[in-house]
């Protein structure tokens, strides 16, 4: 039993969503558990944590410069203030365990916990760990990781704790996948009987994915494929123009099968109807698709430290997805590789089974187990 726990993480959905999933699991096990969340006043957590019913204690945002800049000279003072704020939160909440999910607030939480000799549990979402979790893992009581091979000391593979709506979809699909598909298709105005491609570059969209798939709109429509294309905010018009051009080429009756939307609030509906997904390879995307057993064409973000390619590797190696470099994602690639896959149900079924074989549905429970062990 855990009487009080402090969870630290924020800045992006990739940090906040797993945090909330673990908080929900701990509260489900014992409604009396006191749960406090450390976060920033500016990040996504400032909205999501209170909306989820948990107390948010803000701490100063402390970016860790990766190379010498003027911020280096301000870092000691900023970090000291953030550690003091985290220390005060640990004292006020009487936390038995500090659980960190990375991001700007995790470092002060780990340092404050070490000062107070409170055990730490670390969860790392990406195959290539961030600076904060590399620090916290040095003295953590337990280290949970999403992907095998993540280079952290003592790492245990738990998978990524899933958002409640994705977890609910996984359960519903296990019970009646066809029925769930029909219900989702009806809400989206799609045909549940057509092979369906979902395209998503995340909340901001991905210009290269948009151009590649929209450029193959004529071929997709001629092949009888249905497309739900989530373009990202402000990026829908070029895709709609490409579909309109396809319609003028003699596909007016079929053009309605290609939906271009900027975003979709209830993403679980899109996942319920998708036969194949074209997407980036963020940890959340890869983990959710694998947990749901949905095959994908992963196109890793071409900037950063290469973590997205590593995130997708276990699913791709198992046969549950394809990996395509961003520079290689062209309309020709969609025509030559994505389209034949969409029209081959046997291969799609095999890929779906392979994706599910490495997917994890109960990651939140696995991390909660580690928290309880640390508390004991």
């Amino acid at each position: 039993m855990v009487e009080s726990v402090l969870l630290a993480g924020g800045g992006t959905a990739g940090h906040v969503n797993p945090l909330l999933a673990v908080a929900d699991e701990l509260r489900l096990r014992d409604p009396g558990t006191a749960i406090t969340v450390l976060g920033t006043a500016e990040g996504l957590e400032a909205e999501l944590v209170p909306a989820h019913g948990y107390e948010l204690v803000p701490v100063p945002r402390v970016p860790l410069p990766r190379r010498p800049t003027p911020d280096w000279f301000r870092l000691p003072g900023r970090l000291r203030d953030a550690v003091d704020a985290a220390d005060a939160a640990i004292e006020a909440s009487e936390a038995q365990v500090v659980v960190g999910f990375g991001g700007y607030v995790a470092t002060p939480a780990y340092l404050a916990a070490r000062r107070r000799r409170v055990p730490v549990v670390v969860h790392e979402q990406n195959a290539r760990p961030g600076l904060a979790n590399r620090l916290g893992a040095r003295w953590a009581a337990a280290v949970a990781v999403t992907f095998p091979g993540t280079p952290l000391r003592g790492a245990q593979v738990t998978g990524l704790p899933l958002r409640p709506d994705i977890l609910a979809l996984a359960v519903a699909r296990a019970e009646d996948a066809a029925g769930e598909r029909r219900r989702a298709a009806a809400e989206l105005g799609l045909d549940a009987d057509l092979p369906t491609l979902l395209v998503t570059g995340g909340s901001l969209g991905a210009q290269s994915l948009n151009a590649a798939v929209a450029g193959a709109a004529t071929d997709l429509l001629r092949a009888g494929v249905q497309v739900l294309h989530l373009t990202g905010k402000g990026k829908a018009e070029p895709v709609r123009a490409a579909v309109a051009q396809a319609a003028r080429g003699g596909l007016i009756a079929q053009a309605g099968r290609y939906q271009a939307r900027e975003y979709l609030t209830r993403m679980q509906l899109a996942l319920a109807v998708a036969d194949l997904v074209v997407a980036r390879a963020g940890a959340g995307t890869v983990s959710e698709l694998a947990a749901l057993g949905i095959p994908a064409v992963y196109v890793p973000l071409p900037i950063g430290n290469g973590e997205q390619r590593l995130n997708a590797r276990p699913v791709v190696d198992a046969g549950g997805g394809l990996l395509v470099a961003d520079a290689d994602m062209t309309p020709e690639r969609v025509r030559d590789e994505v389209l034949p896959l969409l029209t081959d149900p046997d291969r799609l079924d095999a890929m779906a089974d392979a994706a599910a074989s490495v997917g994890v549905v109960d990651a939140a429970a696995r991390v909660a187990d580690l928290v309880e062990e640390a508390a004991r």
Side-chain angles (χ1 to χ4, degrees), residues 12 30 38 59 68 126 219-220 226 280 294 365 376:
T12 68
D30 184 357
L38 279 188
V59 297
N126 286 302
D219 301 88
L220 291 166
Q226 179 172 249
R280 292 298 192 199
I294 301 174
R376 287 195 292 269

Side-chain angles (χ1 to χ4, degrees), residues 37-42 55-61 82 85-86 89 105:
V37 179
L38 279 188
T40 68
E42 305 87 14
E55 178 188 5
L56 177 71
V57 177
V59 297
R61 182 176 179 271
V105 300

Side-chain angles (χ1 to χ4, degrees), residues 101-113:
F101 295 83
Y104 295 130
V105 300
T107 296
Y110 295 148
L111 292 172

Side-chain angles (χ1 to χ4, degrees), residues 89-361:
I90 294 172
E91 180 179 27
S93 65
E94 299 181 343
Q96 297 168 274
V97 185
V98 169
V99 188
F101 295 83
Y104 295 130
V105 300
T107 296
Y110 295 148
L111 292 172
R114 191 182 193 194
R115 176 194 292 176
R116 287 192 166 268
R117 301 186 182 223
V118 173
V120 164
V121 174
V122 170
H123 183 277
E124 173 57 52
Q125 61 162 322
N126 286 302
R128 183 167 284 164
L131 293 174
N133 282 348
R134 278 157 45 194
L135 174 70
R138 294 180 182 178
W139 61 80
V143 177
V145 297
T146 300
F147 303 108
T150 303
L152 288 177
R153 180 189 304 173
Q156 304 177 55
V157 179
T158 61
L160 187 76
L162 300 176
R163 294 178 286 159
D165 50 2
I166 300 300
L167 185 58
L169 176 59
V171 173
R173 281 167 62 94
E175 294 176 351
D176 182 13
E180 196 65 23
R181 179 187 179 95
R182 286 193 301 273
R183 286 187 288 273
E187 288 202 47
L188 293 171
L190 297 173
D191 187 336
D193 295 325
L194 291 177
T196 303
L197 174 66
L198 169 64
V199 185
T200 174
S203 58
L204 298 178
Q207 193 63 43
S208 57
L209 303 191
N210 290 350
V213 179
T218 297
D219 301 88
L220 291 166
L221 292 173
R222 279 182 179 154
V225 169
Q226 179 172 249
V227 183
L228 176 56
H229 193 146
L230 307 180
T231 66
K233 188 174 182 180
K235 297 176 181 176
E237 285 313 311
V239 175
R240 289 171 181 154
V243 176
Q245 181 65 37
R248 285 193 291 271
L251 295 169
I252 294 176
Q254 291 81 17
R257 296 204 312 267
Y258 197 124
Q259 282 194 22
R261 305 186 182 201
E262 291 192 349
Y263 60 90
L264 185 65
T265 303
R266 299 173 65 195
M267 190 65 182
Q268 66 272 25
L269 295 177
L271 295 174
V273 77
D275 293 299
L276 180 69
V277 179
V278 172
R280 292 298 192 199
T285 298
V286 174
S287 298
E288 290 177 1
L289 293 179
L292 294 169
I294 301 174
V297 177
Y298 293 108
V299 187
L301 195 68
I303 60 175
N305 61 7
E307 65 189 24
Q308 289 204 354
R309 178 173 288 274
L310 297 176
N311 291 345
R313 181 53 62 188
V315 179
V316 172
D317 286 347
L322 303 178
L323 196 60
V324 178
D326 187 79
D328 297 334
M329 194 61 185
T330 61
E332 292 74 23
R333 193 70 176 260
V334 174
R335 284 193 289 267
D336 296 342
E337 197 160 348
V338 177
L339 181 52
L341 180 54
L342 273 164
T343 53
D344 187 344
D346 291 338
R347 188 178 174 203
L348 280 177
D349 287 345
M351 289 181 69
D353 290 342
S357 73
V358 294
V360 179
V361 176

Side-chain angles (χ1 to χ4, degrees), residues 1-2 4-7 19-35 54 97 99 101 364-365 367-372:
M1 174 180 173
V2 184
S4 179
V5 61
L6 185 143
L7 302 112
L19 181 155
L20 292 174
V22 172
D24 288 347
E25 176 66 23
L26 291 168
R27 182 63 57 83
L28 180 66
R29 294 182 179 196
D30 184 357
T33 298
I35 294 174
Y54 298 115
V97 185
V99 188
F101 295 83
V367 176
D369 288 343
L370 297 178
V371 175
E372 291 181 341

